[in-house]
Amino acid sequence: MFLPTKDWSLLRAPWFAAAFLMAWIAGFGNASAEPSKQNRANPSTIAKQTSKSHAITFASVDGDVQITSEFAGGRMNGCQQVSASEFAITIHPERDQINDSAWYAFRIDSTQPRDVCVRLNYVGGSHRYDPKVSRDGKTWMATPQWVTKRHPLGSEVELSIPLDGKPIWIAGQELIGGEVLQRWTDTLESLPYVNRSVIGQSVQGRPLHRLDITDADRPDYVFIVARQHPPEVSGAIGMMHFVETIADASPLSEQFRSRYCAAVVPMVNPDGVAQGHWRCNANGVDLNRDWAHFSQPETKAVVNQLLACRKTDDGRLCLFIDFHSTFDDVFYTTPPKANLFPQGFTDQWLGAIQGRFPAYEVNRKANHNLQRSTSKAYVARTLGVTAITYEFGDETDRETIRTVASGAAEEMMRLLVNLPAGTAEPSIADRGAAESTDLVAVGADPKR
Ligand SMILES: [Zn+2]
């Protein structure tokens, strides 16, 4: 399974040289910036395709295999044919010096059933996501068994892919992009107590949507955001189940909505998702490190909504949850003694989730990243409100995500409907003492 670097070089050396020579003769040694007809390989002459763009289309020498990343969420920066049935794909991040969440997504079309070997070569990162595959671009299946070789440093993996003459999508995670979110929000919006609004635009002009789920005229608020980081799909799946539970027909959810509003921004970074980014928005900024500067239109739009929740006459902001993904399921929280409103909520909530799922380990890491400009740190430090980063594991079983996220939403609602009315939210002026004593900086996990 594990080959040293030199063996990888030897394996591909003869075909690499031949393919490179063919590409050079054909004049395709230079990269082109944007997806266009120039990026499309001519099947009769080209065996290599490279580009600074994440969206290119490659054709095999015999013309029967096409590999493309020219779709929303696609990422493949280069492709070359190594032998009749072997292809080497290059994956770049959107900028240098970036969190190592190496996203890839491409589709292979062929008319003949055949087995192909595809090598993923990562530039500036390493393999994180085992492949998920789809035959229709909608339903997905995890296929870790397709990974037949891994470079020990993760710089290259080899996938063995059975083609059946029909298109096949291969991506780091399920493709849950703008279109899927649109259908999801359309379904929710058909409910009488769900309203959608556009709260701003991304750098590239994509709308930023907010859903309000409430039956109350002057509600207290739970504010939920997701997808600041494009590849963190398991977090988005968790957010969707969490929100669907708040919107369901159970007596508990009805009771919750009679007093609270769940304000949801389901995709904070639509440009990054559409362009298959590893981490950033279209300006190359990590949005979850922009919650002190608010230099980007996406973070500005969200924080304006968040602050407006505190300005309503009777409403209070009671909880902020930011959904992400990392290697395992984990709640990144503020310190247990932090003086946040509602007092003691985090302990009670995570305890209730653990009590509900005894066989599931509720993993809490307190004091995470509080020195950084993250959403959670901003809300806790500046607004004095309980803020939690809710992470699901990259490869956590999707049914487990559904069960735990739905249960977590119910336990949250059960606690909040019992919160005494009129309990004062701490004023911003009161935050000074808590900030200097409780919210101290500790080590950070760069994967988050
Ligand atoms: Zn994240």
Side-chain angles (χ1 to χ4, degrees), residues 128 228-230 232 279 286 288-289 322-326 389 391 447-448:
R128 170 165 168 176
Q228 295 199 73
H229 295 146
E232 298 184 4
R279 186 73 171 180
D286 181 342
N288 205 28
R289 300 294 181 272
D322 184 0
F323 283 87
H324 288 256
S325 304
T326 185
T389 308
E391 308 249 2
K447 284 292 180 191
R448 192 190 141 280

Side-chain angles (χ1 to χ4, degrees), residues 50-105:
T50 62
S51 173
K52 286 179 183 173
S53 169
H54 63 284
I56 62 171
T57 295
F58 169 88
S60 64
V61 171
D62 67 7
D64 187 54
V65 177
Q66 270 214 345
I67 308 178
T68 184
S69 55
E70 294 195 66
F71 53 84
R75 176 156 291 264
M76 171 177 78
N77 302 84
C79 184
Q80 67 182 68
Q81 188 161 8
V82 181
S83 75
S85 61
E86 292 175 84
F87 301 88
I89 285 176
T90 311
I91 307 291
H92 292 243
E94 66 272 19
R95 68 154 213 224
D96 295 335
Q97 304 286 319
I98 196 167
N99 182 280
D100 192 1
S101 305
W103 175 259
Y104 59 89

Side-chain angles (χ1 to χ4, degrees), residues 316-335:
R316 299 168 299 176
L317 177 63
C318 294
L319 178 62
F320 175 85
I321 307 174
D322 184 0
F323 283 87
H324 288 256
S325 304
T326 185
F327 298 110
D328 300 298
D329 298 6
V330 57
F331 292 89
Y332 288 122
T333 73
T334 47

Side-chain angles (χ1 to χ4, degrees), residues 76 305 374:
M76 171 177 78
Q305 299 294 313
T374 62

